[in-house]
Amino acid sequence: MSERAAPFYCPYCGDEDLRPNDEGHGAWECGACNRAFQLKFLGLLSRGVQRADSGGDHI
């Protein structure tokens, strides 16, 4: 069984003081701004990865 992915910072205030929340899978709480949020993986895009460059250097 794999561990859940942890966010690196709060999406609201940017602080790194995060803890898992008891609301369920993917729920986190921020100790700095006192907000709770939930992360959810939606899936892979059907178009896949597309390269934006044409192989040359752009400045």
Side-chain angles (χ1 to χ4, degrees):
M1 179 178 261
S2 64
E3 293 190 29
R4 62 179 146 183
F8 294 109
Y9 57 88
C10 174
Y12 297 101
C13 72
D15 200 87
E16 298 176 356
D17 184 16
L18 301 176
R19 307 176 192 101
N21 187 283
D22 294 334
E23 289 296 316
H25 183 72
W28 294 87
E29 57 187 51
C30 177
C33 69
N34 203 34
R35 289 185 169 118
F37 58 94
Q38 189 167 17
L39 302 175
K40 182 178 180 182
F41 177 71
L42 299 177
L44 298 174
L45 300 175
S46 61
R47 68 176 181 260
V49 178
Q50 298 176 352
R51 292 182 58 128
D53 64 348
S54 60
D57 292 338
H58 297 285
I59 297 176

